[in-house]
Amino acid sequence: MKYYLTIAIAVMLSAFTLPGNPSIHSFKVKSIEGGTIDFSKFKGKKILVVNTASKCGYTPQYEALEKVYEQYKDKLVIVGFPANNFGGQEPGSDGEIQEFCKARFGVTFPLASKISVKGDDTAPIYQWLTHKNQNGVLDAEIKWNFNKFLLDENGKMIAYFESKVKPDSEEILKYLN
């Protein structure tokens, strides 16, 4: 009896220690506005997660991100994650970043509070996005700003796109049409 109880406990504990949760819906992150972005509220929509920066050569992608968001908002949510990991290209405070995005590009999609997307202080959501043993699908290395992760309606990883892939490119839009 003791043997079977030990096995039962081990099996139950393994459920908590197995690698990864294959859904992004378990994450909640701080919003740039001070509230919370709860990814469980995006169930039923695809999610495009992008690490952003205000002083990057790819910063004009904010415009295309906003257009894609407006065009597909019934079935897609875009969440931007400002990060200062590359060349100090996002030095501003949350308030400064938010003002820049709204004034310059008319951004209305959700923006998270500034985080780290690489290194020892990588935010948990980016650890999940970049490690196959957590997301269940792929490993990705964030090499620069404006990397994109596309997730399906169930919060499972579909694809990863490097900076050079524009938000309105066929590579991404084929998943939305």
Side-chain angles (χ1 to χ4, degrees):
M1 176 76 168
K2 185 177 177 183
Y3 172 77
Y4 293 108
L5 184 57
T6 303
I7 290 174
I9 291 170
V11 168
M12 288 188 315
L13 287 175
S14 72
F16 296 105
T17 58
L18 288 174
N21 173 354
S23 171
I24 199 169
H25 293 145
S26 63
F27 286 93
K28 292 180 183 178
V29 298
K30 184 179 175 192
S31 167
I32 202 165
E33 298 170 342
T36 300
I37 298 172
D38 181 350
F39 280 81
S40 71
K41 293 188 176 178
F42 304 143
K43 288 179 181 175
K45 289 187 174 189
K46 288 187 171 74
I47 304 168
L48 187 67
V49 174
V50 187
N51 65 303
T52 62
S54 300
K55 298 180 183 292
C56 177
Y58 291 108
T59 300
Q61 285 191 17
Y62 269 125
E63 185 175 349
L65 285 165
E66 181 61 24
K67 285 181 182 173
V68 169
Y69 178 64
E70 286 298 323
Q71 183 175 354
Y72 295 97
K73 67 171 25 173
D74 60 324
K75 58 183 169 182
L76 171 76
V77 65
I78 295 173
V79 182
F81 281 87
N84 196 35
N85 293 96
F86 305 102
Q89 295 182 348
E90 190 58 272
S93 67
D94 281 356
E96 292 167 333
I97 296 165
Q98 183 181 20
E99 178 58 33
F100 171 83
C101 291
K102 286 187 181 201
R104 181 93 189 269
F105 297 102
V107 169
T108 61
F109 57 84
L111 291 171
S113 184
K114 189 161 77 170
I115 63 164
S116 179
V117 298
K118 188 175 179 102
D120 293 339
D121 60 343
T122 302
I125 194 165
Y126 264 81
Q127 291 174 15
W128 184 87
L129 287 166
T130 58
H131 292 91
K132 183 177 182 177
N133 68 347
Q134 293 187 41
N135 65 49
V137 177
L138 58 81
D139 285 317
E141 181 183 354
I142 307 292
K143 296 178 184 172
W144 204 252
N145 304 306
F146 289 88
N147 284 227
K148 298 154 202 77
F149 294 90
L150 185 62
L151 299 110
D152 72 12
E153 295 82 356
N154 298 310
K156 297 185 191 283
M157 184 73 67
I158 296 174
Y160 164 71
F161 307 95
E162 291 188 1
S163 307
K164 66 183 177 191
V165 178
K166 295 178 181 175
D168 55 358
S169 71
E170 184 54 34
E171 288 176 72
I172 294 176
L173 295 183
K174 71 182 180 183
Y175 293 102
L176 305 177
N177 292 320

